[in-house]
Amino acid sequence: MMKIGAQMYTVREYCKTLDSFADTLARLADMGFKVVQISGTCPYTGEWIDEQLKKNGLECAITHNPYNEIMNDTAALIEKHKKFGCNFIGLGGIGRKEKTINDFIADVKPAIKEIKEAGLHFSYHNHSEEFFKVDGTNELEKMMAAFTPDELSFTFDTHWAHAAGADPIQWLKKLKGRVQCIHLKDIELYFGENGRELRYGVVGKGNMNFEGILAAADESDVQYGLIEQDDCYGADPFECLKESLAYLRAQGYND
């Protein structure tokens, strides 16, 4: 069964300095989290985050890192992750204005080789674009063809799959063996001044089939389910994480 954690991108506004970052880790631990993903925070050293994680009884499942750092400073990134015991080096996206999926595949091959040889794993985070087919195939399928499962895994974002019109349950089954971490966030319908819009939501309060998604994640041997809410629309992001965690605990995930 998955361990449930907090994707710190949700609380990135509270991680702009090392002092506030440390306070945020303590708050997440006090809420009952034992796992985090580090993403969207201020810069930190491997030694500093190792001390903070141990202090709060936390484990870092995966990180997100800048594109150029992964490609051009791979050895230092590997060494940094080893210092705080994090096995998954993640990329949050390729930067659509500058890069194509073919650029990414060519760029990342040397880094993936180095990461794999160091005993760590590279993981790519999807948005919605990766699910749309061009000439009969989509970008996830291109990456699967270019790399073996032990070279490239996916941080599968259930929200973005759903937003693209893809079935998260079907894709989790299809990607079995390639997904160790997933992002959990719901989709809610909101009516406001601009009319009807879809918003990021608290897990279990929106329109996604999370009972089915969670079952598929467990069947696909996913290790970590990371709660994420990109925008809380004025609500307290810590409360949003707390509500999502309560829902997942009610489903039997007690991390």
Side-chain angles (χ1 to χ4, degrees), residues 4 11 32 53 55 77 147 153-154 164 171 181 196 203 209 245:
I4 301 300
V11 289
L53 292 170
K55 178 180 176 181
L77 195 60
F147 300 104
S153 63
F154 295 103
W171 272 97
C181 304
R196 183 176 59 184
V203 178
N209 176 13
L245 181 60

Side-chain angles (χ1 to χ4, degrees), residues 62 64 89-94 96 101 104 122-127 130 139-140 143 152-156:
I62 185 171
H64 275 173
I89 295 175
L91 177 67
I94 64 175
R96 297 284 162 176
I101 194 65
F104 162 71
F122 176 77
S123 187
Y124 179 90
H125 169 266
N126 67 274
H127 290 89
E130 291 86 356
E139 292 181 351
L140 287 183
M143 285 185 268
L152 183 144
S153 63
F154 295 103
T155 305
F156 185 77

Side-chain angles (χ1 to χ4, degrees), residues 1-197:
M1 181 173 281
M2 288 185 299
K3 295 181 180 179
I4 301 300
Q7 209 310 34
M8 296 191 73
Y9 188 76
T10 308
V11 289
R12 61 195 179 276
E13 295 301 318
Y14 298 84
C15 299
K16 290 186 174 182
T17 67
L18 289 178
D19 285 344
S20 60
F21 189 177
D23 289 343
T24 295
L25 288 168
R27 286 186 70 176
L28 293 174
D30 287 344
M31 289 166 59
F33 285 105
K34 294 190 171 51
V35 176
V36 294
Q37 173 179 346
I38 298 175
S39 174
T41 70
C42 66
Y44 56 91
T45 65
E47 293 87 351
W48 183 87
I49 195 64
D50 181 57
E51 179 182 355
Q52 295 300 319
L53 292 170
K54 287 176 178 174
K55 178 180 176 181
N56 291 289
L58 292 167
E59 169 190 2
C60 180
I62 185 171
T63 61
H64 275 173
N65 305 274
Y67 191 98
N68 288 335
E69 188 174 358
I70 291 171
M71 307 307 168
N72 302 321
D73 205 8
T74 317
L77 195 60
I78 289 168
E79 188 61 27
K80 179 180 179 179
H81 280 67
K82 285 188 172 183
K83 285 178 179 176
F84 60 99
C86 181
N87 292 324
F88 291 96
I89 295 175
L91 177 67
I94 64 175
R96 297 284 162 176
K97 292 181 180 179
E98 298 83 19
K99 300 286 183 180
T100 67
I101 194 65
N102 291 331
D103 292 331
F104 162 71
I105 289 171
D107 287 349
V108 80
K109 282 184 178 180
I112 282 180
K113 183 175 184 292
E114 196 169 349
I115 290 167
K116 180 184 174 185
E117 287 176 350
L120 303 182
H121 307 276
F122 176 77
S123 187
Y124 179 90
H125 169 266
N126 67 274
H127 290 89
S128 57
E129 297 91 340
E130 291 86 356
F131 293 95
F132 292 99
K133 291 186 177 182
V134 177
D135 298 327
T137 189
N138 67 29
E139 292 181 351
L140 287 183
E141 291 165 335
K142 283 186 177 181
M143 285 185 268
M144 290 169 70
F147 300 104
T148 62
D150 62 340
E151 291 173 326
L152 183 144
S153 63
F154 295 103
T155 305
F156 185 77
D157 193 301
T158 56
H159 170 101
W160 286 117
H162 183 93
D167 181 354
I169 296 170
Q170 179 188 23
W171 272 97
L172 279 168
K173 293 177 180 178
K174 184 174 183 177
L175 294 172
K176 183 174 182 178
R178 283 190 182 264
V179 179
Q180 285 74 40
C181 304
I182 63 173
H183 284 176
L184 304 171
K185 60 174 172 272
D186 219 327
I187 290 179
E188 296 179 350
L189 183 62
Y190 175 79
F191 293 91
E193 293 180 359
N194 299 320
R196 183 176 59 184
E197 62 179 289

